[in-house]
Amino acid sequence: MRLRIMERIRKRYNRIPPGMGYHSAAYHRHFEGWSEYKEQNSSGKVRIRRVYTGAWYRQDLSDRRRIFYKLLFSALFVFAAVLFIFYAAQYVGSNQSWYVAMTQAGGIVGLVWMGIGLFNYLTVKKNMTIAEYRSSSGTLRIGSMIAAISFTAAMLMTLLFVLLQHTEVMVGREVMCAAGYLICGVAVFTVNRIERKIRYIETPSGNEVPREAVIVD
């Protein structure tokens, strides 16, 4: 197994022209689909030029529909974040239990992850590179799923707290918090479901590079 891994590394390294060096996996992930080659300017200095030669990713949507989804996703994200903060800040017994706090922490992670993806989703161009597609649609889908699972778990753990401590809690407020977490989960899951159903079209970039260029994969 180790020899096969070393062989793969050696082959990838040998494909890179002298002077370009070996790059990390993160580098290859970020520049996947780009072609690199050396270019010498008038002063004799050599620099690395990159040209995108991979496929462009584009949503199979009209401009109006694309704007609508951006606004909808933004509204659902803000709604879920505000509602979550409101119910997580309530002074009730469940919010002070460790198992509910764990699910709330997961919800925060999901919202942050989702927020990063949403920011990229809102700012990315119509035609996206592979990395832009992953950082926008991919990150948005992963973050929204983490948030949806965490909010659902928060609801279940809150109800469990009520069942275990039913004689010492304000049942009405606890159930209200559980319902709030459920609504948050539905909001972010809606984003996830809609984005998963959006079709993306792949089209060749059409850019040309010298024959000695190396494709980053």
Side-chain angles (χ1 to χ4, degrees):
M1 175 64 71
R2 184 178 178 182
L3 291 176
R4 282 186 290 179
I5 294 175
M6 295 301 296
E7 182 67 17
R8 289 176 59 187
I9 295 175
R10 184 187 63 79
K11 287 182 179 180
R12 172 166 286 186
Y13 183 84
N14 289 340
R15 290 176 56 193
I16 302 175
M20 288 190 179
Y22 177 73
H23 302 297
S24 65
Y27 179 95
H28 282 268
R29 184 175 179 84
H30 181 74
F31 287 106
E32 183 177 353
W34 291 78
S35 294
E36 300 178 339
Y37 63 94
K38 294 191 297 183
E39 183 181 70
Q40 188 172 11
N41 57 23
S42 57
S43 61
K45 293 184 178 180
V46 177
R47 62 177 182 175
I48 304 300
R49 290 292 303 272
R50 297 184 184 89
V51 178
Y52 187 71
T53 53
W56 293 112
Y57 285 77
R58 179 172 57 85
Q59 292 177 326
D60 188 19
L61 299 171
S62 64
D63 291 342
R64 180 176 296 182
R65 178 66 65 175
R66 188 168 59 255
I67 294 174
F68 169 76
Y69 282 139
K70 288 183 177 182
L71 294 175
L72 176 62
F73 291 173
S74 300
L76 289 173
F77 172 77
V78 173
F79 172 76
V82 172
L83 196 64
F84 169 69
I85 294 173
F86 175 78
Y87 285 112
Q90 293 295 307
Y91 189 71
V92 291
S94 61
N95 285 339
Q96 301 176 48
S97 63
W98 66 268
Y99 47 88
V100 174
M102 290 289 289
T103 61
Q104 292 171 342
I108 293 174
V109 172
L111 285 175
V112 171
W113 202 319
M114 183 180 176
I116 294 173
L118 181 60
F119 175 80
N120 295 332
Y121 194 88
L122 297 176
T123 57
V124 76
K125 297 179 180 178
K126 187 175 181 179
N127 290 323
M128 296 174 284
T129 64
I130 298 174
E132 289 172 337
Y133 168 71
R134 287 173 176 166
S135 65
S136 56
S137 177
T139 303
L140 179 65
R141 285 184 278 112
I142 293 173
S144 58
M145 182 56 68
I146 293 175
I149 294 174
S150 298
F151 291 148
T152 303
M155 177 202 67
L156 295 175
M157 291 299 100
T158 300
L159 294 177
L160 176 63
F161 179 86
V162 172
L163 293 176
L164 295 177
Q165 309 289 338
H166 65 279
T167 60
E168 304 176 9
V169 300
M170 295 176 287
V171 177
R173 293 185 62 185
E174 295 285 4
V175 172
M176 182 181 66
C177 289
Y181 296 140
L182 176 61
I183 295 172
C184 292
V186 171
V188 294
F189 186 71
T190 300
V191 174
N192 183 277
R193 290 297 297 171
I194 293 176
E195 177 58 24
R196 284 186 178 277
K197 290 183 178 180
I198 293 178
R199 179 170 174 262
Y200 283 80
I201 301 174
E202 297 181 38
T203 56
S205 67
N207 296 325
E208 297 182 358
V209 292
R211 294 185 61 183
E212 65 271 16
V214 175
I215 300 176
V216 181
D217 56 9

